[in-house]
């Protein structure tokens, strides 16, 4: 590594330290300034969407699996945790682990089933899966309480403070993002990109296509499941409406507008959109019309999203640098 | 009439209309290799055009609203195709398969919210074609519903003739079978794309207009028929026209007989959509080419 | 590898800046960090967020802020929610024109709960902690009301609920919670007593599989069973169902005395038409009970001739029983919004007035004073004379139902039957309870 590289490396660490300190300070700033704690809630939910949209970006943008079942896996995590807690009386920390595992298991099963499908068939199959799941949760109200909402134990007991939830969600987001970056910077990331570009060519070059495709589903479902369990134990009530197709559309739109090929851009896109929709709430129906138009125009004219190109420019990176990363990765 | 027979009649009457809508979807898929995730919204828009027209010009014959709704949907479809889908076929878009899914999905989101913002949430219904019901061998069928079914049947027959007998139909079929070979004989596949997309969503608009007096319209009415259409074209074999007709009739029967005979009546309606979705998932998994589809997944 | 790290770090920084900007007032510190990042778009976004997110200083406020909540978009019942917001706005404007409350103008901030319990929590929290509202009113969905109630209780802010029916709302016994809507037990009892009085014995309910449908079907089944009516079948349906015909054909195999279609939104009209086209109901043999959505003028546009002889439970004051205020409210609402209001609008209108009267009588915006004033309130609104029987001075006795706490004892709930095609809801017969009826118990086709 050159001396120039070392300096840049140090700057990055300094920036990271500042970022983490600032993130840690958010609740303090809100409290000390007497700002409404409501905004802490908005940011927690924004982190929740950031986790979903970045993990969907990993599945769709990196691995090329355009699944519509991501919110379904999220709901599996949340409902599994809530139901186990309700019927077996286990504490939230245990049920969260079980919920995440259930989502991962479902991800493995769906990943294995859709192996052969091309884009359009995959999209249709995952929509069908998601809708069947939602109808079941709604229909079996005796068990899930359906639309009346399943009450879930709060993660941090009876406290009315949102601060512990904020730090928990922040920690989950940072750790999951870091893990996903480690994953895509490794050989696995290279293989996933190779499969996305040309599955047959990748297979011919000895990439175990089946294994890596399923791996992508399992990892992203685990993360979606974790997001779902956290959401369940934070909001403490779950309804099947959290997994309707428009909600899935929202997550997809967040990732697309951020930039589907960069996990970080997808996460930032989610945070901006979630906060933006909240700020623009009084515009009512027209807010979603503008949002829809933005989504379509981004897709057509800015395939890399609106956030990712800014990153590239600020960092002096271009598409070439992206390619270089992909080439460098296996060498390490 | 016998219970089974009357359920069968209900299923077939609706199945024909389902087939019409699915046929548009399958036509688009066979030419453009695109699944139109905004198909339900063109259906919804067709219904709103009909409602808007008939509530503005109250003396108008309700039948006139059908071609107008179809044309309006087709024109909108042509604009959408030229703006958003053509660049894909000109090689300007990376990974077109993913793009096609996302762009049509985004459009459906946009149209739905646009109609909600403009027309508001209240359900509306255009003027009936004929009021009351018709008795068929002791079984009563709504006159509007029967009219919708008959119109759909006539339109299906016309389309089959157009596709099999006319120059444009032959050109479309040629493009769906082999783009390159079609280009050699002088067929501009870009134009065929536009025609197929306009025709396909125009059919959705017609379906929306003929069913609006029966089911009323609201901004979110497109979702259920859209999902049903995906099921039908997968069942029939993606891109197959006879497949979509047979698939439509099958789904009409499954929904009707399923709700009529499901062991636990209290859940029969809740699971009516699930029957279709489960069949759909199974077909995708075990016989992805459906009834008549070509061997490819 | 290092490129990815750079993405990660810069991204994290940008995220944190944004979140800070969303909640912090602009400080020199934050602006400095903006310069470091040099992201024009992000900076623009921040400015926008800062401008709109910073609450106005509330000390010595010129206006009194009250909060409203209800579903304004799907999956909530946004038809009802929209007219509730309109009615609440109208009430606030009227009060302001007449000089406001405590000599100050009133401002209403209405939050969209989308019919989602989790949104209800968030909206209530926002209204209380960000907007600093002194009281809350509205809500349509019980499931959402139950979560909003917890937040209001946590912060000790009074709520006058207009529409949520679940018994648990007032059965909670929370001092902050008041309700002018009927409880589900009371609401259902009107319909079940009516069924028993007419003498129907075989009943089929098609209900939507939502909280609305589940709550009602349970209560009905239990109440009817207590009256010895046990031949009751409940069929659940997705409210987005297009075609009920197959299940109606199934029901027609053995037609009941009464068929109920308890589906909100577009499904209500669809089922009325389909049952009528099949010749199943309303007929001489089978009566048809529609959902509360039958009160809207769009009902006729959507069902045509099929709406004749349909009946439904109406919450609100039917035209025949209007007082002076009801007439003024209906006329003003229709003039202002070009739409005839339903019962939800009337309830939201009165609930808003009640809250404002409570503040006026309390003489301050202190929550405890408002609660005390509401406990002793006597007010005549568009729906009748309001008062709360069981309060902290007069707790609910052990032999009475818990939900009577802070509950308006006589919520107006009537069975209305249309006897003519295109009949305005106001001209239709009030058929039950009999002491206030304007027409025969049941008019058969």
């Amino acid at each position: 590594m050159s001396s120039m590289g070392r300096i840049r490396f140090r700057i990055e660490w300094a920036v990271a330290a500042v970022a983490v300190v600032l993130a840690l300070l958010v609740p303090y700033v809100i409290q000390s300034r007497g700002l409404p704690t409501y905004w802490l809630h908005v940011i927690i939910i924004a982190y929740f969407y950031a986790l979903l949209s970045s993990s969907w970006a990993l599945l769709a943008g990196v691995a090329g699996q355009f699944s519509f079942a991501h919110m379904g896996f999220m709901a599996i995590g949340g409902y599994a945790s809530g139901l186990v807690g309700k019927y077996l009386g286990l504490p939230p920390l245990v049920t969260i682990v079980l919920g995440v595992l259930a989502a991962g298991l479902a991800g493995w099963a769906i990943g294995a089933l859709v192996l052969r499908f091309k884009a359009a068939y995959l999209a249709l199959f995952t929509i069908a899966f998601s809708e069947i799941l939602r109808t079941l949760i709604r229909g079996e109200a005796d068990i899930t309480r359906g639309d009346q909402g399943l009450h879930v134990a709060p993660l941090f007991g009876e406290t009315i403070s949102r601060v512990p939830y904020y730090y928990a969600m922040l920690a989950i987001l940072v750790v999951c993002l870091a893990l996903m970056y480690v994953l895509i910077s490794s050989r696995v990331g290279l293989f996933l990109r190779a499969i996305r570009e040309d599955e047959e060519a990748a297979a011919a070059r000895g990439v175990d296509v089946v294994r890596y495709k399923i791996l992508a589903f399992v990892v992203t479902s685990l993360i979606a499941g974790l997001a779902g369990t956290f959401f369940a134990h934070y909001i403490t009530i779950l309804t099947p409406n959290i997994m309707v197709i428009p909600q899935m559309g929202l997550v997809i739109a967040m990732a697309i507008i951020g930039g589907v090929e960069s996990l970080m851009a997808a996460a930032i896109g989610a945070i901006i959109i979630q906060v933006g929709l909240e700020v623009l709430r009084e515009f009512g129906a027209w807010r979603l019309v503008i949002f829809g138009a933005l989504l379509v125009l981004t897709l057509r004219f800015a395939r890399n999203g609106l956030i990712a190109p800014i990153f590239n420019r600020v960092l002096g990176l271009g598409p070439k640098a992206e390619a270089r990363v992909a080439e460098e990765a296996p060498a390490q | 009439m016998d219970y089974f027979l009357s359920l069968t009649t209900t299923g077939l009457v609706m199945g024909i209309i389902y087939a019409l809508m699915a046929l548009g979807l399958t036509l688009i898929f066979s030419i453009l290799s695109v699944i139109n995730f905004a198909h339900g919204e063109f259906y919804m828009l067709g219904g709103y055009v009909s409602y808007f027209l008939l509530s503005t010009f109250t003396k108008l014959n309700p039948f006139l609203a059908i071609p107008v709704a179809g044309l309006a949907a087709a024109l909108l479809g042509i604009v959408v195709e030229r703006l958003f889908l053509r660049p894909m076929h000109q090689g300007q878009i990376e990974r077109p398969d993913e793009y096609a899914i996302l762009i049509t999905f985004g459009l459906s989101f946009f149209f739905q919210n646009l109609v909600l913002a403009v027309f508001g949430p209240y359900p509306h219904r255009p003027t009936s074609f004929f009021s009351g019901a018709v008795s068929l061998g002791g079984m009563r069928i709504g006159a509007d519903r029967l009219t919708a079914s008959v119109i759909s049947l006539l339109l299906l027959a016309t389309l089959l003739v157009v596709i099999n007998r006319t120059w444009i139909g032959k050109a479309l079929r040629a493009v769906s079978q082999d783009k390159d070979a079609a280009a050699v004989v002088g067929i501009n596949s870009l134009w065929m794309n536009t025609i197929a997309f306009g025709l396909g969503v125009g059919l959705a608009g017609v379906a929306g207009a003929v069913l609006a007096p029966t089911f009323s319209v609201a901004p979110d009415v497109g979702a259920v028929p859209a999902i049903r259409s995906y099921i039908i074209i997968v069942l029939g074999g993606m891109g197959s026209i006879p497949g979509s007709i047979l698939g439509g009739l099958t789904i009409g029967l499954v929904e009707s007989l399923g709700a009529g005979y499901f062991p636990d009546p209290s859940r029969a309606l809740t699971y009516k959509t699930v029957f279709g979705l489960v069949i759909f998932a199974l077909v995708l998994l075990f016989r992805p080419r459906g009834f008549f589809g070509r061997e490819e997944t | 590898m290092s490129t990815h790290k750079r993405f990660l770090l810069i991204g994290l920084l940008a995220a944190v800046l944004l979140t800070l900007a969303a909640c912090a007032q602009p400080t020199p510190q934050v602006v400095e960090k903006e310069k470091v990042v040099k992201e024009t778009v992000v900076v623009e976004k921040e400015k926008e967020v800062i401008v709109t997110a910073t609450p106005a200083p509330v000390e010595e406020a010129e206006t009194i802020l009250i909060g409203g909540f209800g579903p304004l978009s799907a999956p909530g019942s946004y038809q009802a929610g929209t007219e509730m917001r309109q009615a609440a706005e109208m009430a606030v404007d009227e009060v302001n024109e007449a000089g406001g409350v405590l000599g100050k103008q009133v401002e209403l901030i209405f939050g969209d709960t989308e019919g989602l319990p989790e949104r209800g929590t968030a909206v209530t929290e926002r209204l209380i902690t960000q907007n600093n509202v002194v009281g809350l009113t509205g809500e349509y969905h019980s499931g959402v009301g139950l979560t909003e109630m917890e937040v209001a209780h946590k912060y000790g802010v009074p709520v006058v609920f207009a529409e949520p029916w679940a018994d648990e709302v007032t059965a909670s016994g929370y001092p902050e919670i008041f309700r002018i809507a009927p409880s589900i037990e009371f609401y259902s009892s009107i319909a079940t007593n009516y069924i028993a009085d007419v003498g129907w014995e075989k009943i089929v309910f098609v209900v939507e599989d939502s909280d609305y449908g589940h709550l009602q079907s349970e209560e009905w089944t239990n109440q009817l069973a207590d009256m010895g009516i046990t031949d009751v079948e409940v069929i659940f349906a997705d409210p987005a169902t297009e075609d009920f015909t197959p299940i109606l054909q199934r029901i027609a195999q053995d037609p009941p005395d009464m068929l109920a279609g308890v589906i909100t939104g577009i499904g209500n009209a669809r089922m009325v038409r389909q049952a009528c086209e099949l010749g199943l109901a309303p007929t001489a043999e089978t009566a048809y009970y529609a959902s509360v959505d039958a009160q809207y003028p769009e009902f006729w546009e959507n069902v045509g001739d099929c709406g004749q002889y349909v009946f439904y439970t109406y919450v609100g004051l039917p035209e025949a029983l209007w007082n002076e205020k009801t007439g003024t409210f209906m006329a003003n609402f229709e003039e202002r919004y070009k739409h005839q209001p339903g019962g939800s609008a009337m309830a939201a209108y009165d609930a808003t007035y009640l809250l404002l009267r409570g503040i006026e009588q309390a003489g301050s915006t202190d929550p405890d004073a408002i609660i005390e004033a509401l406990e002793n309130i006597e007010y005549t609104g568009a729906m009748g004379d309001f008062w709360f029987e069981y309060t902290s001075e007069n707790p609910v006795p052990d032999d009475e139902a818990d939900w009577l706490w802070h509950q308006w004892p006589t919520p107006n709930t009537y069975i209305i039957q249309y006897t003519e095609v295109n009949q305005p809801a106001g001209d239709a017969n009030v058929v039950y309870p009999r002491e206030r009826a304007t027409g025969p118990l049941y008019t058969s086709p």
Side-chain angles (χ1 to χ4, degrees):
Chain A
M1 195 179 270
S2 69
S3 67
M4 186 58 206
R6 254 180 225 138
I7 291 165
R8 198 178 272 168
F9 193 63
R10 279 197 204 117
I11 292 171
E12 281 163 8
W13 276 108
V15 171
V18 172
V20 170
V21 169
L22 287 180
L24 293 174
L25 281 179
V26 167
Y28 172 76
V29 172
I30 288 180
Q31 260 169 8
S32 66
R33 295 184 163 265
L35 293 169
T37 61
Y38 171 71
W39 282 103
L40 203 53
H41 171 77
V42 171
I43 298 165
I44 295 173
I45 297 297
Y47 287 170
F48 163 74
Y49 279 110
L51 193 55
L52 287 167
S53 105
S54 58
S55 53
W56 188 79
L58 171 58
L59 184 63
V62 177
Q65 305 294 301
F66 275 69
S67 159
F68 281 70
H70 211 55
M71 291 304 264
F73 295 131
M74 187 277 289
I76 289 177
Y79 268 98
S81 182
L83 289 171
V84 169
K86 182 181 173 190
Y87 290 104
L88 300 181
L90 296 174
L93 280 177
V94 179
T95 63
I96 283 177
V97 174
L98 294 173
V100 172
L101 289 177
L105 197 67
W108 174 78
I110 294 299
L113 285 176
V114 300
L115 276 176
R116 293 175 293 122
F117 292 167
K118 278 188 185 162
Y121 287 85
L122 176 71
L124 289 176
F125 184 84
T126 48
I127 285 182
F129 167 74
S130 200
E131 281 293 288
I132 291 173
L133 192 65
R134 188 177 67 85
T135 313
L136 282 177
I137 292 175
R138 214 180 145 95
E140 296 305 319
D142 299 344
I143 301 167
T144 61
R145 286 189 42 93
D147 234 20
Q148 296 174 72
L150 177 70
H151 288 276
V152 181
L155 183 55
F156 296 111
E158 288 301 308
T159 174
I160 65 164
S161 168
R162 296 192 186 278
V163 176
Y165 291 99
Y166 175 83
Y167 286 120
M169 190 69 227
L170 180 67
I172 291 173
L173 178 63
V174 170
V175 170
C176 287
L177 274 174
L179 286 176
M180 285 192 282
Y181 266 94
V182 169
L183 185 76
I184 63 169
S185 308
S186 70
R187 294 166 61 85
V188 177
L190 181 72
F191 292 156
L192 289 177
R193 286 198 173 91
I195 293 170
R196 180 191 67 182
E197 292 304 330
D198 189 338
E199 194 173 320
E200 280 161 27
R205 285 186 357 229
V207 176
D208 188 342
V209 173
V210 171
R211 183 172 157 193
Y212 288 109
K213 268 191 174 178
I214 294 183
L215 181 76
F217 263 101
V218 171
V219 169
T220 54
S221 325
L222 285 171
I223 292 173
L226 181 59
T229 53
F230 179 85
F231 181 82
H233 290 279
Y234 168 56
I235 300 290
T236 71
I237 189 159
L238 273 181
T239 58
N241 284 329
I242 56 168
M243 54 177 299
V244 292
I245 297 293
Q247 278 287 318
M248 184 67 233
L250 185 66
V251 170
I252 291 177
M254 286 169 167
I256 299 288
I257 293 175
V260 74
E261 290 179 39
S262 159
L263 308 189
M264 188 51 68
I268 306 277
I271 293 171
I272 291 177
I273 288 168
Q274 178 61 23
V275 174
L277 286 179
E278 199 57 50
V279 170
L280 302 176
R281 189 155 280 282
E282 53 210 86
F283 289 85
W286 285 103
R287 163 187 75 131
L288 293 173
V289 177
I290 294 165
F291 180 58
L294 183 68
L295 170 64
V296 171
L297 294 176
T298 306
L299 272 166
R300 172 66 186 84
F301 298 107
R303 269 313 278 292
N304 294 327
L306 301 179
I307 310 287
I310 298 172
F311 278 6
N312 294 348
R313 219 172 58 199
V314 169
L315 294 164
L317 300 172
K320 281 179 195 162
E322 279 253 17
R324 204 176 58 230
V325 178
E327 279 164 26
E328 276 172 13
Q332 296 183 8
Chain B
M1 200 195 275
D2 175 36
Y3 182 51
F4 174 78
L5 265 180
S6 67
L7 283 173
T8 310
T9 313
T10 307
L12 291 177
V13 164
M14 291 314 295
I16 291 166
I17 312 173
Y18 298 163
L20 182 70
M21 188 172 164
L23 190 122
L25 194 62
T26 217
L27 188 68
I28 293 171
F29 182 81
S30 73
I31 308 292
L32 287 89
S33 308
V34 162
I35 291 193
N36 176 20
F37 281 94
H39 211 61
E41 277 56 49
F42 284 98
Y43 167 92
M44 176 267 291
L45 287 168
Y48 268 99
V49 169
S50 160
Y51 163 72
F52 179 75
L53 205 65
L54 295 176
S55 61
T56 313
F57 308 101
T58 44
K59 300 241 168 79
L60 206 67
N61 184 326
F63 285 97
L64 273 178
I66 300 171
V68 176
L71 276 176
L75 280 176
L76 183 65
I78 287 169
V79 172
V80 163
E81 201 279 335
R82 291 296 296 265
L83 278 182
F84 295 109
L85 298 178
R86 180 169 280 198
M88 198 177 104
H89 294 281
Q90 290 171 325
Q92 294 173 13
I93 307 273
E94 286 176 46
R95 285 187 296 285
D97 289 354
E98 298 162 4
Y99 170 80
I101 296 169
L102 294 172
I103 197 86
T104 52
F105 188 76
L107 285 168
S108 93
F109 189 90
F110 174 73
F111 286 137
Q112 221 183 91
N113 285 297
L114 184 69
V115 170
L116 177 62
V118 173
F119 284 95
Y122 300 103
H124 290 293
R125 194 175 72 94
T127 325
S128 281
F129 301 119
F130 302 105
S131 61
V134 177
S135 191
L136 260 182
M139 181 206 161
R140 282 161 56 97
I141 297 182
D144 278 335
R145 179 185 298 239
L146 198 60
T147 311
S149 192
V150 171
I151 292 174
S152 300
L153 192 64
L154 292 175
L155 217 56
L156 278 177
T158 317
L159 273 167
L160 286 179
V161 172
V162 167
I163 286 168
N164 289 315
R165 295 286 159 82
T166 63
W167 178 84
I168 194 109
K170 282 177 188 154
L172 281 171
R173 277 186 297 144
V175 172
S176 89
Q177 278 157 14
D178 190 336
K179 278 197 175 61
D180 298 332
V184 169
V185 297
I187 299 169
N188 182 343
S189 74
L190 286 180
W191 271 106
M192 289 300 128
N193 283 342
T194 308
I195 290 170
F197 197 82
L199 188 59
V201 300
L203 289 177
V206 168
V210 296
L211 272 182
T214 303
F215 289 151
S216 297
V217 288
D220 53 0
V221 290
V224 172
I227 291 185
R228 183 188 295 118
S229 302
Y230 305 141
I231 298 174
I232 292 170
I233 64 165
V234 166
L235 188 62
M238 304 258 273
S240 159
I241 286 169
S244 74
I245 295 173
L246 193 62
L249 296 175
T250 310
I251 290 299
L253 285 175
V254 166
E255 286 194 352
S256 158
L257 294 171
Y261 286 104
F262 191 73
D264 175 6
S266 77
R267 287 190 165 85
L269 270 186
T270 305
Y271 288 132
K272 197 173 89 163
T273 43
V274 173
F275 307 144
L277 286 170
V278 169
I279 292 176
F280 170 76
L282 293 176
V283 171
L284 270 182
L285 287 173
F286 298 110
R287 196 183 156 82
R289 65 204 154 98
F291 291 151
F292 296 117
R294 279 174 262 160
E295 183 75 74
E296 59 162 353
T297 47
Chain C
M1 184 76 198
S2 70
T3 320
H4 276 299
K5 226 170 246 162
R6 225 175 296 156
F7 265 93
L8 180 73
L9 299 180
I10 296 293
L12 253 176
L13 178 69
V16 169
L17 282 177
L18 264 169
T19 49
L20 268 182
C23 52
Q25 286 170 342
T27 65
Q29 235 183 344
V30 173
V31 173
E32 238 177 70
K33 292 292 181 288
E34 281 171 13
K35 281 178 191 153
V36 173
V37 180
K38 283 181 191 154
E39 290 184 8
T40 49
V41 170
V42 171
V43 172
E44 263 175 42
K45 189 81 194 172
E46 278 168 14
K47 278 188 199 139
E48 184 189 321
V49 170
I50 290 162
V51 171
T52 37
T54 310
V58 285
E59 296 79 19
E60 297 306 316
E62 297 289 308
T63 54
I64 291 179
L65 286 169
I66 61 166
F69 37 39
L72 300 179
S73 47
S77 293
Y78 44 62
Q79 297 186 21
T82 304
E83 70 167 24
M84 286 173 73
R85 185 189 62 186
Q86 292 170 336
E89 278 170 355
M90 199 170 103
V92 166
D93 287 351
E94 287 174 9
V95 168
N96 282 338
E97 257 170 53
V101 170
L102 304 175
K104 292 177 181 173
Q105 291 287 291
V106 179
E107 193 186 328
L108 170 79
I109 304 171
F110 200 97
D112 176 13
T113 63
E114 299 167 34
L116 301 171
E118 60 268 24
R119 289 287 326 154
T121 308
V123 165
T124 314
E125 178 118 17
R126 185 190 70 193
L127 290 170
I128 294 174
T129 69
Q130 184 187 333
N131 303 119
N132 297 298
V133 298
V134 300
L136 290 155
T137 179
E139 194 47 64
Y140 181 79
H141 296 280
S142 290
V144 184
L146 289 171
T147 61
E148 291 165 342
M149 164 182 111
E150 296 296 334
V151 180
H153 177 54
K154 196 166 87 177
Y155 290 101
V157 174
V159 186
V160 182
F161 276 120
E163 283 285 71
W165 297 341
D167 292 347
E168 294 98 308
V169 172
T170 44
S172 65
Y174 289 161
E176 298 84 5
I177 306 304
F178 295 82
R179 172 167 61 183
I180 61 167
S183 77
I184 194 78
E185 185 184 327
F186 180 85
Y187 174 84
S188 312
S189 71
I190 303 291
T192 51
N193 282 312
Y194 177 65
I195 290 169
D197 275 18
V198 181
W200 289 318
E201 284 169 352
K202 180 174 167 54
I203 318 285
V204 175
F205 288 110
V206 179
V207 300
E208 68 175 41
D209 52 1
S210 67
D211 55 345
Y212 170 77
H214 277 281
L215 276 172
Q216 281 187 73
S217 62
E218 270 167 44
E219 195 61 45
W220 268 332
T221 316
N222 293 340
Q223 289 184 9
L224 287 172
D226 289 346
M227 296 171 189
I229 302 169
T230 51
D231 193 355
V232 177
E233 186 165 26
V234 177
I235 293 168
F236 290 103
D238 185 333
T241 302
E242 285 180 319
D243 201 3
F244 296 89
T245 308
I247 202 79
L248 294 173
Q249 284 174 304
R250 186 166 177 160
I251 295 167
Q253 291 299 99
D254 183 11
D257 300 330
M258 186 193 105
L259 171 66
V262 187
I263 317 269
T264 51
I266 195 169
N268 179 54
R270 284 174 174 167
M271 193 171 138
V272 169
R273 270 180 71 84
Q274 290 162 12
C276 155
E277 283 171 353
L278 262 188
L280 171 60
T283 59
E285 290 75 38
T286 305
Y288 191 96
Y289 176 89
S291 89
V292 64
D293 281 41
Q295 65 183 303
Y296 293 108
E298 284 81 13
F299 177 71
W300 288 110
E301 179 191 332
N302 285 287
V303 302
D305 300 350
C306 293
Q308 196 182 8
Y309 305 112
V310 162
F311 62 94
Y312 63 98
T313 307
Y314 180 73
V315 181
L317 215 47
E319 188 160 350
L321 309 175
W322 282 1
N323 61 32
E324 203 178 305
K325 273 196 179 148
T326 332
T328 323
F329 163 73
M330 299 298 274
N332 290 347
F333 189 99
E334 201 162 348
E335 192 193 321
R336 181 165 166 170
Y337 299 113
K338 311 293 172 225
H339 189 260
Q340 198 181 319
S344 305
M346 211 189 280
Y349 179 77
D350 277 348
T352 310
Y353 256 106
L354 263 184
L355 178 63
L356 294 177
R357 281 300 145 102
I359 298 171
E360 182 78 52
Q361 286 182 20
S364 81
T365 54
D366 174 60
D368 293 334
I370 300 173
I371 290 168
E372 198 189 324
L374 281 172
E375 286 198 331
N376 298 307
I377 209 152
E378 279 180 17
Y379 168 72
T380 303
M383 295 209 303
D385 299 330
F386 289 99
W387 81 100
F388 296 103
E389 173 121 36
Y390 295 108
T391 59
S392 51
E393 309 267 290
N394 176 28
V396 185
D398 288 341
D399 55 347
E400 290 280 7
D402 290 342
W403 55 261
L404 286 165
W405 167 258
H406 281 188
Q407 163 77 43
W408 180 31
T410 57
N412 284 298
T413 310
Y414 300 93
I415 306 281
I416 307 279
Q417 188 182 19
Y418 290 119
T419 46
E420 306 287 339
V421 175
N422 287 328
Q423 194 170 37
D427 296 347
N429 283 343
V430 179
V431 296
Y432 204 80
R434 287 312 294 162
E435 56 272 20
R436 306 194 69 176
T438 60
L441 183 61
Y442 176 68
T443 310
S444 179

